[in-house]
Amino acid sequence: VTDSGGGTTLVSSSTAPGRIYVIEYTDALVWPEWRLLGGYAGTGATEQFEDSAGVVGRFYRMSVEIPYGVELE
């Protein structure tokens, strides 16, 4: 997670093909309400997702989903 300036935060991670990456955020860790920020399909490269809300102190989490029928390597 990096601040790219101008109120935009970049969330990045390495990815694997055949995986779905889901990014959620919350503005507080006490009784958090996780909300969907977005997601993308893995390509095997590092991917970035932008949060342009301009909120300082936001928390993020990422989950990885493996579609049914996709074999783990």
Side-chain angles (χ1 to χ4, degrees), residues 10-44:
L10 298 176
V11 179
S12 63
S13 74
S14 56
T15 65
R19 311 296 191 266
I20 305 298
Y21 295 81
V22 177
I23 303 168
E24 297 173 298
Y25 72 90
T26 187
D27 294 326
L29 291 179
V30 177
W31 299 102
E33 291 185 32
W34 292 101
R35 299 173 190 259
L36 180 65
L37 180 62
Y40 50 85
T43 63

Side-chain angles (χ1 to χ4, degrees), residues 19 66 70-73:
R19 311 296 191 266
I66 302 170
V70 173
E71 302 224 3
L72 296 175
E73 298 177 9

